[in-house]
Structures are given as structure tokens and as C-alpha cells.
Amino acid sequence: METEIIRIKKDKGEGLSPEDLKNIEHAGEIIKKGGLVAFPTETVYGLGGNALEPESSKKIYAAKGRPSDNPLIVHICDFKDVYEIARDVPEEAVKLAEVFWPGPLTMILKKKEIVPNETTGGLDTVAIRFPSDIVARELIRASGGFVAAPSANISGRPSPTEVKYVIEDMSGRIGAIIDGGEGEIGIESTIVDLTVNPPVVLRPGFITNEMIGSVLGEGIETDRAIIDADSGLKPKAPGMKYRHYAPKGELVIVEGKDEEVLSRINELLKEDRASGFKTGVICCDENSDRYDADAIKLSGKKGDTKEAAHRLYSILRSFDDENVEKIYSEGFDREGFGAAIMNRLLKAAGHKIINLNQVERGRK
Ligand code: TXA
Ligand code: MG
């Protein structure tokens, strides 16, 4: 299959030109006819198909190589469309939508008949997201209002934050790719389950538990299975159980006091280099010249979680491009948005982490 590349001409901050709108209209026709289109969102690129057509959802699973028990998020472009696909919509959903939609928050609600089981992986709930990216919104409108879209990567790879990665993974597999520049946030939306009381976060993201809690007036917890990988619990978002985002090389996170992390990583790098491995490091800008590794990738200024999230997936992919075999990452503070970064980084590392603080405490 030949994949059309559609380039958005206008800087998104300035709105869309008539030509852009015409091109998006054309992409919407592809989805209406049962085809697939990859498109930008404020988080990561999505791989869109008609959410109300079982055949379209099947095509999405096939294009990604994704297990079909892993449900898709239905993207909408108007809040009232929630009532078309969800039943028993709780007051909490309305409150959260007022504050965070359009934006990087996905809500799990009870589904209506109209949403096929193929889209929800057989669940009787549906994940709904109203993205803020204007290209995404126009495409959803042009596609009929309900676009099922997982991240536009081959299953298991990091979600694509730049169009070049979408082209790498999806060329020849889908009808079109819309190039709308880089996703601002860089990691996937927060998922909150509103079918339980109190609501639970199933995937951390830019909208933090504190932000959700302050709107709902109650403390919000994250699914235990996500926080504690050794708990043996099954994550409530089926996708969170899969190995994900992992670079081909071995990634280990080192956490602790700054200077101790630096010296431990340098020790490990020395051993790996002596064994002939190509080495890499993920560190903050301030430490850029303090590691002795073949590839050094900067996550931004220390403590700048927004920048770190924005860069994370392209950093992970770049290690593959450069055939790096042993990778070490400095840990990130788990407060606020940092929780989402550490969640993705831990998955990428297969939960391999050296916590120097714990080692310290253990010794005492
Ligand atoms: O930011 C995002 O959410 C991006 C962009 C494209 O919108 N999409 C995205 O989709 O990350 P995907 O398919 O890569 O991740 C969807 C996650 C999976 O972990 C899936 O298991 C979970 O959402 N999910 C979907 N429907 C669910 C449901 N009904 N109940 C529980 N989890 C669900
Ligand atoms: Mg994904």
C-alpha cells in the first residue's frame, strides 16, 4: 500500500490554512471509507480509524502488530459526543471535561452498544479522549466524530513524537500520515477510570493525580499494579502490562544523590566499555560533560520534567539508531509529572533500577 504524506503548512499556533483544511478533509474521507490515517496530537502521534467500525479497529491492530485484547482510545472533538458512546456518565466526567478537555486526559466510562467490541478489546467500558491539537480535532470532525487511535508505533516500540518515527513504523501499512510537527507533551495522555468510586488513574501523564483530585475534591490514587511492578497485580489498563518503549540495548536507571549516581554510572560505563560494549547515558544538561560514554543524551535542565517528557521517546529511539548496547539513565523525581516520566522509563528499562538510597539504608 502506498502511504500518502500530508504536510500541514501552517504553524499550528496560527490556525489552519484553507489548503490544510482541504487536505485534512481528504484524510477524513480515507477514514470514513474504512482506511487508516496517522495524525499528530498534543501527546504523541495517533493511528486513526473509524471507532464505530469493527473492520477499521481490526486493521489498526494488524498495522501495529498489537494484541487485540488491548483496547483502543476513542477520540472525539465535541464533549456532547461522550453521550453517544458512553452510558451512565457520572458528574465527575463532566467536571473533569470542563477543566481538562480538550487536552491530554482520557476517561474510562461504561460503553454503549454502538461501540464495537473490536474497539474496546471485548470490555464493556470505553476510553474517551478529546485532544487539543487542532489538526487532530479537524481530522476527527472530518472523519465523522469518533476516531479510534492508539499511538502510531509498531507494538512495543516507543510512541512516536515526531513524524519521521511514524514514517519509519507505518509507511506502506496505512493510507496516509499527516505531518503536523512535534507533539508538545511527548508522552501519552493520563488515563482515569471513572467506572469505579473513587476514580483511579490507570496510566500517569501530564494531568497529574493532584490536578484530578483538586477538581473532584478527593485524593486520587494510581492503580497499584502500575506503581508496584513486583506486586503480581494485573494492570487495569490492559496495555500497561505489555513490555513497552524498550530500546534494543539494555537500559538501567540509577537513582540516588546526584554525585553518587554520577560516580556509579561512570563505574558501570567503565566496565561495559572494557567488555567492548557501545555505551549510552541519559542525563540532565548540567551533567553533559561528566560521563564517559559513547552516546550522551540530554533530558533538559535538572528538574524540568516537561522538557524531559518531550525528549524521552526520541532519546530512546536514537539509541537504537546508534546501536547502543548498554544504557544508563539518571532517575527523575517522582513528584507531579515526574511520576509519568518514571513510569515510562521504568517500563523501558524492564524495571531494572539501582536505588543507591535504598542500598545505603540497607547497609545501616
Ligand atoms: O495520548 C494518548 O492517549 C495517545 C494519543 C494518540 O491519543 N494514545 C494512546 O493510545 O496512547 P494507546 O492505544 O497506545 O494506549 C491506550 C491505553 C492502553 O494501555 C489500553 O490498554 C488503555 O489505554 N485502554 C483503552 N481502553 C481501555 C478501557 N476500556 N479500560 C482500560 N484501559 C483501556
Ligand atoms: Mg501505545
Side-chain angles (χ1 to χ4, degrees), residues 43 46 66 70-71 73 75 125 127 129 150-151 188-189 191 203 237-239:
T43 57
R66 172 174 180 154
N70 188 0
I73 296 176
H75 294 66
T125 54
R129 168 156 133 76
S151 48
E188 307 84 350
S189 61
I191 301 178
R203 179 173 73 182

Side-chain angles (χ1 to χ4, degrees), residues 6-19:
I6 298 170
R7 294 199 199 282
I8 297 298
K9 304 264 166 28
K10 274 252 184 175
D11 178 340
K12 278 192 260 185
E14 299 168 19
L16 296 165
S17 69
E19 193 193 347

Side-chain angles (χ1 to χ4, degrees), residues 86-106:
R87 61 191 161 85
D88 309 336
V89 178
E91 186 57 27
E92 282 93 343
V94 180
K95 283 189 188 160
L96 291 176
E98 269 169 9
V99 180
F100 301 119
W101 275 3
L105 179 71
T106 296

Side-chain angles (χ1 to χ4, degrees), residues 39-44 46 73-79 100-106 128-141 145 147 149 185 189:
F39 62 99
T41 83
E42 71 277 22
T43 57
V44 301
I73 296 176
V74 179
H75 294 66
I76 58 173
C77 60
D78 187 343
F79 175 74
F100 301 119
W101 275 3
L105 179 71
T106 296
I128 310 178
R129 168 156 133 76
F130 179 175
S132 60
D133 185 290
I134 54 168
V135 176
R137 281 156 61 179
E138 278 306 321
L139 177 71
I140 297 161
R141 190 194 47 73
V147 172
I185 294 174
S189 61

